[in-house]
């Protein structure tokens, strides 16, 4: 299953099951205003919180914390990586620098063909 199929399937499930609540968090939104996104999640989960807890969660979710924390593991999914495992740089749109021009063009074309009609709020830069 491709990333596009996965996104389309999740979108369909959310649309078809309005009675089954699903909360979506976008990495880009976390980068722009992590505290607010964590607050929305706490409200969605109906969990009590205070500003210190929100800040602590935000700190643990920072790229640098996750990269060197217990979530880090060496991955063999890509040859010639320098010990970053599944983490690269934690920058929004960083994948565009990894792709060649041809790969970027192919992705843009596939995006238009496969999921542009869903009108999703997908941000490739902030």
């Amino acid at each position: 299953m491709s990333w596009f199929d996965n996104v389309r399937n999740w979108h369909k499930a959310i649309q078809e099951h309005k009675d089954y609540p699903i909360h979506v968090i976008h990495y880009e939104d976390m980068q722009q205003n992590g505290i607010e996104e964590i607050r929305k999640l706490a409200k969605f989960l109906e969990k009590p919180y205070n500003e210190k807890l929100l800040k602590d969660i935000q700190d643990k979710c920072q790229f640098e914390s996750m990269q060197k924390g217990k979530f880090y593991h060496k991955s063999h999914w890509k040859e010639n990586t320098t010990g970053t495992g599944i983490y690269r740089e934690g920058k929004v749109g960083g994948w565009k620098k990894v792709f060649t021009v041809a790969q970027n063009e192919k992705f843009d074309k596939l995006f238009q063909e496969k999921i542009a009609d869903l009108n999703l709020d997908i941000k490739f830069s902030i």
Side-chain angles (χ1 to χ4, degrees):
M1 175 184 300
S2 74
W3 176 79
F4 301 107
D5 294 333
N6 189 41
V7 169
R8 183 170 285 283
N9 287 342
W10 270 107
H11 180 74
K12 180 180 177 187
I14 291 168
Q15 297 305 311
E16 290 179 354
H17 301 283
K18 299 279 188 191
D19 56 322
Y20 195 78
I22 296 173
H23 183 78
V24 177
I25 298 174
H26 296 274
Y27 181 78
E28 297 79 6
D29 295 334
M30 285 290 292
Q31 292 295 310
Q32 286 185 294
N33 192 350
I35 296 285
E36 183 56 30
E37 294 303 312
I38 297 164
R39 182 180 289 114
K40 288 178 189 176
L41 178 60
K43 288 178 181 178
F44 174 79
L45 295 172
E46 299 177 349
K47 294 294 182 183
Y49 63 90
N50 58 46
E51 294 306 309
K52 181 183 180 329
L53 177 62
L54 296 178
K55 177 74 171 112
D56 289 347
I57 293 170
Q58 181 186 35
D59 290 346
K60 294 288 185 189
C61 290
Q62 293 300 307
F63 177 78
E64 294 79 15
S65 295
M66 293 184 67
Q67 189 179 34
K68 65 183 168 186
K70 67 180 181 179
F71 299 105
Y72 174 85
H73 65 88
K74 185 162 176 82
S75 174
H76 301 286
W77 66 275
K78 184 176 177 185
E79 292 180 27
N80 301 322
T81 55
T82 56
T84 58
I86 63 171
Y87 304 106
R88 286 190 325 250
E89 60 183 34
K91 305 276 190 242
V92 173
W95 61 275
K96 287 265 188 185
K97 292 183 247 168
V98 175
F99 280 14
T100 64
V101 172
Q103 288 171 325
N104 274 305
E105 290 172 354
K106 184 175 181 177
F107 175 84
D108 291 342
K109 182 177 183 229
L110 285 170
F111 182 90
Q112 291 302 314
E113 291 173 4
K114 303 260 185 194
I115 63 173
D117 64 307
L118 299 179
N119 296 314
L120 301 172
D121 183 25
I122 297 177
K123 299 173 185 117
F124 295 114
S125 63
I126 54 174

PDB file of all heavy atoms in Angstrom, residues 76-93:
ATOM      1  N   HIS A  76      17.848   0.017   9.148  1.00  0.00           N
ATOM      2  CA  HIS A  76      18.529  -0.405   7.934  1.00  0.00           C
ATOM      3  C   HIS A  76      17.621  -0.200   6.724  1.00  0.00           C
ATOM      4  O   HIS A  76      17.806  -0.818   5.692  1.00  0.00           O
ATOM      5  CB  HIS A  76      18.955  -1.866   8.046  1.00  0.00           C
ATOM      6  CG  HIS A  76      19.875  -2.092   9.205  1.00  0.00           C
ATOM      7  ND1 HIS A  76      21.193  -1.683   9.199  1.00  0.00           N
ATOM      8  CD2 HIS A  76      19.661  -2.619  10.424  1.00  0.00           C
ATOM      9  CE1 HIS A  76      21.749  -1.985  10.352  1.00  0.00           C
ATOM     10  NE2 HIS A  76      20.844  -2.551  11.110  1.00  0.00           N
ATOM     11  N   TRP A  77      16.663   0.691   6.873  1.00  0.00           N
ATOM     12  CA  TRP A  77      15.707   0.917   5.789  1.00  0.00           C
ATOM     13  C   TRP A  77      16.311   1.688   4.638  1.00  0.00           C
ATOM     14  O   TRP A  77      15.794   1.680   3.543  1.00  0.00           O
ATOM     15  CB  TRP A  77      14.456   1.627   6.292  1.00  0.00           C
ATOM     16  CG  TRP A  77      14.690   3.026   6.780  1.00  0.00           C
ATOM     17  CD1 TRP A  77      15.095   3.397   8.025  1.00  0.00           C
ATOM     18  CD2 TRP A  77      14.565   4.237   6.036  1.00  0.00           C
ATOM     19  NE1 TRP A  77      15.231   4.752   8.103  1.00  0.00           N
ATOM     20  CE2 TRP A  77      14.906   5.298   6.895  1.00  0.00           C
ATOM     21  CE3 TRP A  77      14.199   4.534   4.724  1.00  0.00           C
ATOM     22  CZ2 TRP A  77      14.889   6.620   6.489  1.00  0.00           C
ATOM     23  CZ3 TRP A  77      14.176   5.854   4.333  1.00  0.00           C
ATOM     24  CH2 TRP A  77      14.519   6.876   5.200  1.00  0.00           C
ATOM     25  N   LYS A  78      17.418   2.363   4.877  1.00  0.00           N
ATOM     26  CA  LYS A  78      18.048   3.126   3.805  1.00  0.00           C
ATOM     27  C   LYS A  78      19.550   2.941   3.891  1.00  0.00           C
ATOM     28  O   LYS A  78      20.137   3.108   4.957  1.00  0.00           O
ATOM     29  CB  LYS A  78      17.679   4.613   3.944  1.00  0.00           C
ATOM     30  CG  LYS A  78      18.201   5.462   2.820  1.00  0.00           C
ATOM     31  CD  LYS A  78      17.721   6.891   2.970  1.00  0.00           C
ATOM     32  CE  LYS A  78      18.313   7.745   1.868  1.00  0.00           C
ATOM     33  NZ  LYS A  78      17.985   9.139   2.009  1.00  0.00           N
ATOM     34  N   GLU A  79      20.152   2.619   2.776  1.00  0.00           N
ATOM     35  CA  GLU A  79      21.602   2.423   2.750  1.00  0.00           C
ATOM     36  C   GLU A  79      22.328   3.744   2.963  1.00  0.00           C
ATOM     37  O   GLU A  79      21.816   4.814   2.657  1.00  0.00           O
ATOM     38  CB  GLU A  79      22.015   1.836   1.402  1.00  0.00           C
ATOM     39  CG  GLU A  79      21.520   0.412   1.194  1.00  0.00           C
ATOM     40  CD  GLU A  79      21.963  -0.129  -0.148  1.00  0.00           C
ATOM     41  OE1 GLU A  79      22.992   0.318  -0.671  1.00  0.00           O
ATOM     42  OE2 GLU A  79      21.255  -1.002  -0.670  1.00  0.00           O
ATOM     43  N   ASN A  80      23.526   3.645   3.501  1.00  0.00           N
ATOM     44  CA  ASN A  80      24.424   4.787   3.675  1.00  0.00           C
ATOM     45  C   ASN A  80      23.882   5.880   4.592  1.00  0.00           C
ATOM     46  O   ASN A  80      24.206   7.042   4.428  1.00  0.00           O
ATOM     47  CB  ASN A  80      24.814   5.389   2.311  1.00  0.00           C
ATOM     48  CG  ASN A  80      25.491   4.375   1.430  1.00  0.00           C
ATOM     49  OD1 ASN A  80      26.281   3.557   1.902  1.00  0.00           O
ATOM     50  ND2 ASN A  80      25.167   4.392   0.152  1.00  0.00           N
ATOM     51  N   THR A  81      23.025   5.536   5.541  1.00  0.00           N
ATOM     52  CA  THR A  81      22.602   6.532   6.512  1.00  0.00           C
ATOM     53  C   THR A  81      23.652   6.596   7.602  1.00  0.00           C
ATOM     54  O   THR A  81      24.357   5.633   7.865  1.00  0.00           O
ATOM     55  CB  THR A  81      21.229   6.202   7.131  1.00  0.00           C
ATOM     56  OG1 THR A  81      21.275   4.892   7.692  1.00  0.00           O
ATOM     57  CG2 THR A  81      20.128   6.280   6.095  1.00  0.00           C
ATOM     58  N   THR A  82      23.748   7.712   8.252  1.00  0.00           N
ATOM     59  CA  THR A  82      24.793   7.904   9.253  1.00  0.00           C
ATOM     60  C   THR A  82      24.221   7.813  10.661  1.00  0.00           C
ATOM     61  O   THR A  82      24.328   8.745  11.453  1.00  0.00           O
ATOM     62  CB  THR A  82      25.496   9.256   9.058  1.00  0.00           C
ATOM     63  OG1 THR A  82      24.491  10.289   9.098  1.00  0.00           O
ATOM     64  CG2 THR A  82      26.234   9.307   7.736  1.00  0.00           C
ATOM     65  N   GLY A  83      23.566   6.721  10.964  1.00  0.00           N
ATOM     66  CA  GLY A  83      23.090   6.481  12.320  1.00  0.00           C
ATOM     67  C   GLY A  83      21.847   7.243  12.730  1.00  0.00           C
ATOM     68  O   GLY A  83      21.511   7.304  13.890  1.00  0.00           O
ATOM     69  N   THR A  84      21.136   7.838  11.774  1.00  0.00           N
ATOM     70  CA  THR A  84      19.953   8.594  12.145  1.00  0.00           C
ATOM     71  C   THR A  84      18.716   7.715  12.237  1.00  0.00           C
ATOM     72  O   THR A  84      17.676   8.175  12.680  1.00  0.00           O
ATOM     73  CB  THR A  84      19.686   9.726  11.133  1.00  0.00           C
ATOM     74  OG1 THR A  84      19.535   9.148   9.839  1.00  0.00           O
ATOM     75  CG2 THR A  84      20.779  10.755  11.141  1.00  0.00           C
ATOM     76  N   GLY A  85      18.830   6.476  11.832  1.00  0.00           N
ATOM     77  CA  GLY A  85      17.672   5.595  11.899  1.00  0.00           C
ATOM     78  C   GLY A  85      16.524   6.165  11.087  1.00  0.00           C
ATOM     79  O   GLY A  85      16.710   6.598   9.967  1.00  0.00           O
ATOM     80  N   ILE A  86      15.345   6.198  11.687  1.00  0.00           N
ATOM     81  CA  ILE A  86      14.176   6.696  10.966  1.00  0.00           C
ATOM     82  C   ILE A  86      14.096   8.214  10.981  1.00  0.00           C
ATOM     83  O   ILE A  86      13.240   8.788  10.338  1.00  0.00           O
ATOM     84  CB  ILE A  86      12.871   6.097  11.544  1.00  0.00           C
ATOM     85  CG1 ILE A  86      12.660   6.525  12.991  1.00  0.00           C
ATOM     86  CG2 ILE A  86      12.856   4.599  11.379  1.00  0.00           C
ATOM     87  CD1 ILE A  86      11.294   6.154  13.546  1.00  0.00           C
ATOM     88  N   TYR A  87      14.977   8.868  11.705  1.00  0.00           N
ATOM     89  CA  TYR A  87      14.953  10.324  11.803  1.00  0.00           C
ATOM     90  C   TYR A  87      15.979  10.957  10.880  1.00  0.00           C
ATOM     91  O   TYR A  87      17.110  10.515  10.817  1.00  0.00           O
ATOM     92  CB  TYR A  87      15.244  10.756  13.244  1.00  0.00           C
ATOM     93  CG  TYR A  87      14.292  10.154  14.240  1.00  0.00           C
ATOM     94  CD1 TYR A  87      14.690   9.135  15.083  1.00  0.00           C
ATOM     95  CD2 TYR A  87      12.981  10.595  14.309  1.00  0.00           C
ATOM     96  CE1 TYR A  87      13.812   8.581  15.991  1.00  0.00           C
ATOM     97  CE2 TYR A  87      12.087  10.033  15.212  1.00  0.00           C
ATOM     98  CZ  TYR A  87      12.513   9.034  16.052  1.00  0.00           C
ATOM     99  OH  TYR A  87      11.641   8.482  16.935  1.00  0.00           O
ATOM    100  N   ARG A  88      15.573  12.009  10.205  1.00  0.00           N
ATOM    101  CA  ARG A  88      16.512  12.739   9.350  1.00  0.00           C
ATOM    102  C   ARG A  88      16.881  14.042  10.037  1.00  0.00           C
ATOM    103  O   ARG A  88      17.892  14.120  10.694  1.00  0.00           O
ATOM    104  CB  ARG A  88      15.892  12.989   7.981  1.00  0.00           C
ATOM    105  CG  ARG A  88      15.824  11.761   7.116  1.00  0.00           C
ATOM    106  CD  ARG A  88      15.422  12.130   5.689  1.00  0.00           C
ATOM    107  NE  ARG A  88      14.477  13.223   5.633  1.00  0.00           N
ATOM    108  CZ  ARG A  88      13.198  13.119   5.285  1.00  0.00           C
ATOM    109  NH1 ARG A  88      12.720  11.959   4.945  1.00  0.00           N
ATOM    110  NH2 ARG A  88      12.403  14.158   5.264  1.00  0.00           N
ATOM    111  N   GLU A  89      16.098  15.082   9.845  1.00  0.00           N
ATOM    112  CA  GLU A  89      16.458  16.373  10.414  1.00  0.00           C
ATOM    113  C   GLU A  89      15.326  17.048  11.160  1.00  0.00           C
ATOM    114  O   GLU A  89      15.537  18.033  11.842  1.00  0.00           O
ATOM    115  CB  GLU A  89      17.000  17.312   9.331  1.00  0.00           C
ATOM    116  CG  GLU A  89      16.013  17.580   8.223  1.00  0.00           C
ATOM    117  CD  GLU A  89      16.578  18.450   7.114  1.00  0.00           C
ATOM    118  OE1 GLU A  89      17.763  18.344   6.816  1.00  0.00           O
ATOM    119  OE2 GLU A  89      15.800  19.242   6.557  1.00  0.00           O
ATOM    120  N   GLY A  90      14.118  16.550  11.020  1.00  0.00           N
ATOM    121  CA  GLY A  90      12.989  17.110  11.748  1.00  0.00           C
ATOM    122  C   GLY A  90      12.501  18.439  11.217  1.00  0.00           C
ATOM    123  O   GLY A  90      11.843  19.190  11.923  1.00  0.00           O
ATOM    124  N   LYS A  91      12.792  18.742   9.985  1.00  0.00           N
ATOM    125  CA  LYS A  91      12.374  20.000   9.369  1.00  0.00           C
ATOM    126  C   LYS A  91      11.189  19.748   8.446  1.00  0.00           C
ATOM    127  O   LYS A  91      11.169  18.780   7.692  1.00  0.00           O
ATOM    128  CB  LYS A  91      13.511  20.612   8.542  1.00  0.00           C
ATOM    129  CG  LYS A  91      14.798  20.808   9.298  1.00  0.00           C
ATOM    130  CD  LYS A  91      14.777  22.094  10.066  1.00  0.00           C
ATOM    131  CE  LYS A  91      16.150  22.400  10.624  1.00  0.00           C
ATOM    132  NZ  LYS A  91      16.231  22.452  12.027  1.00  0.00           N
ATOM    133  N   VAL A  92      10.221  20.628   8.522  1.00  0.00           N
ATOM    134  CA  VAL A  92       9.073  20.536   7.632  1.00  0.00           C
ATOM    135  C   VAL A  92       9.561  20.739   6.199  1.00  0.00           C
ATOM    136  O   VAL A  92      10.286  21.687   5.910  1.00  0.00           O
ATOM    137  CB  VAL A  92       8.004  21.590   7.994  1.00  0.00           C
ATOM    138  CG1 VAL A  92       6.887  21.602   6.972  1.00  0.00           C
ATOM    139  CG2 VAL A  92       7.461  21.321   9.390  1.00  0.00           C
ATOM    140  N   GLY A  93       9.178  19.826   5.322  1.00  0.00           N
ATOM    141  CA  GLY A  93       9.568  19.922   3.920  1.00  0.00           C
ATOM    142  C   GLY A  93      10.974  19.439   3.636  1.00  0.00           C
ATOM    143  O   GLY A  93      11.444  19.527   2.503  1.00  0.00           O
TER     144      GLY A  93
END
